[in-house]
Amino acid sequence: MDEERLDELKTLGIMRRAWDEGYVRETGTAVMGILPKGGAGSLFSKAPTGLAANLERVMEKLKAFFERFHEIVGMPGE
């Protein structure tokens, strides 16, 4: 979260939901809300530093974290 300057509370909310649902959601307003404000560019920018590239990079990191620890911890009720 620190490396990507993500909103901590919103990111934790996304990860809690991922544990409940068994996967990390990659769409929706909650996902966009975790990214830092300003300087991110346009979602439709083709530049590698655009908002879409930032979002993709962040989502890959969150999914990797989830997959790593989900296997260890499991889902609630398992």
Side-chain angles (χ1 to χ4, degrees), residues 45-54 57:
S45 172
K46 297 204 185 302
T49 57
L51 183 58
N54 291 346
R57 183 182 64 250

Side-chain angles (χ1 to χ4, degrees), residues 15-23 66 69-70 72-78:
M15 296 310 289
R16 280 189 194 109
R17 188 173 194 167
W19 249 265
D20 290 343
E21 296 178 344
Y23 69 99
F66 175 79
F69 291 102
H70 184 260
I72 296 170
V73 177
M75 291 183 61
E78 286 186 350

Side-chain angles (χ1 to χ4, degrees), residues 22-38:
Y23 69 99
V24 177
R25 286 186 181 216
E26 297 184 58
T27 58
T29 56
V31 171
M32 295 302 294
I34 68 173
L35 296 176
K37 304 290 185 236

Side-chain angles (χ1 to χ4, degrees), residues 1-6 8:
M1 287 188 289
D2 291 337
E3 181 181 328
E4 295 290 344
R5 300 182 356 229
L6 302 179
E8 185 175 344

